[in-house]
Amino acid sequence: MSPEDMLAVAVEEARAGLAEGGIPIGAALFAADGTLLGRGHNRRVQHDDPSVHGETDAFRRAGRQRSYRDTTMVTTLSPCWYCSGLVRQFGISNLVIGESRTFTGGHEWLAELGVKVTILDDPTCVSLLGDFVAAHPEVWNEDIGEE
């Protein structure tokens, strides 16, 4: 699968989160052969749980794996430090990011540690989150730990 094909899964998840009244950030975890292991979206509003980010939701839904080496985490937005830590902790070796304009998390740090980082600068991802931030700044600021 191409990075764009994998991102399409994460975008579907972001749209699902938005439809549920949540923050439109989606993610998916793929095996080296392109098999989808898990997909998810930010559910912190829906579940009243600040730990359910898109990447953590996809990771949890993937279930236990013997190894995460050679897997690819795809996310519509640059991962925050919490989700960057998840990528680092479990040795996920590839990261595909839809956009990093709205928010720049820890992807440069991950690249320094040897994770292959691909930023697609996808206009759909930019508009999905940008429109949400403009309409709901208080929810967005809560999500990223701002006041």
Side-chain angles (χ1 to χ4, degrees):
M1 289 183 84
S2 72
E4 292 80 7
D5 291 336
M6 290 187 284
L7 181 62
V9 175
V11 169
E12 286 177 13
E13 286 294 325
R15 287 187 170 128
L18 183 61
E20 294 170 359
I23 300 166
I25 301 172
L29 184 66
F30 290 89
D33 67 0
T35 301
L36 177 63
L37 300 173
R39 58 190 290 165
H41 54 271
N42 186 302
R43 297 173 193 261
R44 43 184 323 280
V45 172
Q46 301 91 309
H47 291 190
D48 196 29
D49 180 348
S51 71
V52 188
H53 290 202
E55 298 89 342
T56 60
D57 193 36
F59 183 77
R60 289 172 181 163
R61 290 170 183 271
R64 288 178 55 201
Q65 306 293 315
R66 285 188 65 101
S67 172
Y68 295 91
R69 198 174 329 268
D70 299 324
T71 61
T72 300
M73 177 65 78
V74 182
T75 180
T76 57
L77 183 66
S78 177
C80 68
W81 286 105
Y82 170 57
C83 295
S84 294
L86 180 142
V87 169
R88 173 68 173 122
Q89 173 68 31
F90 290 95
I92 295 170
S93 52
N94 301 292
L95 177 64
V96 174
I97 299 169
E99 69 108 338
S100 65
R101 290 189 220 175
T102 307
F103 177 80
T104 301
H107 69 262
E108 291 176 355
W109 172 69
L110 290 168
E112 290 170 6
L113 295 171
V115 175
K116 180 183 176 196
V117 176
T118 304
I119 302 173
L120 299 176
D121 198 29
D122 181 81
T124 299
C125 294
V126 172
S127 66
L128 261 173
L129 193 55
D131 292 348
F132 180 85
V133 171
H136 306 284
E138 70 290 344
V139 176
W140 172 246
N141 288 335
E142 177 188 322
D143 192 63
I144 62 170
E146 298 289 325
E147 290 190 26

